[in-house]
Amino acid sequence: RRDPEQARTYLKRALSVKPDNSTMWVNLAIAESALGNRNDAANYCRKALALDPSNAKAKGLLNQLQGRR
């Protein structure tokens, strides 16, 4: 079973060491979204996209969070 709060804690710790990892930013966005924190999730998607503009997972989640398909 997945625990988004635990994932959030782990990912924030990992990002403090490696803040240039776009995959971790999008995974943090997924955890925040699961916790209902849509604004934080969207911001983390934007951080992932700033690091890797081709990150399809970040694009898809950001579009979903903004009500686009």
Side-chain angles (χ1 to χ4, degrees), residues 4-54:
E5 291 213 19
Q6 187 176 17
R8 176 175 58 185
T9 300
Y10 166 79
L11 287 162
K12 284 187 174 186
R13 195 174 316 137
L15 282 162
S16 71
V17 175
K18 210 159 163 64
D20 59 345
N21 187 309
S22 68
T23 300
M24 283 195 283
W25 282 111
V26 77
N27 287 337
L28 181 56
I30 291 167
E32 291 293 357
S33 179
L35 293 166
N37 301 325
R38 295 174 63 88
N39 288 335
D40 288 340
N43 287 331
Y44 295 143
C45 283
R46 289 184 194 99
K47 285 186 181 192
L49 289 168
L51 293 165
D52 178 9
S54 67

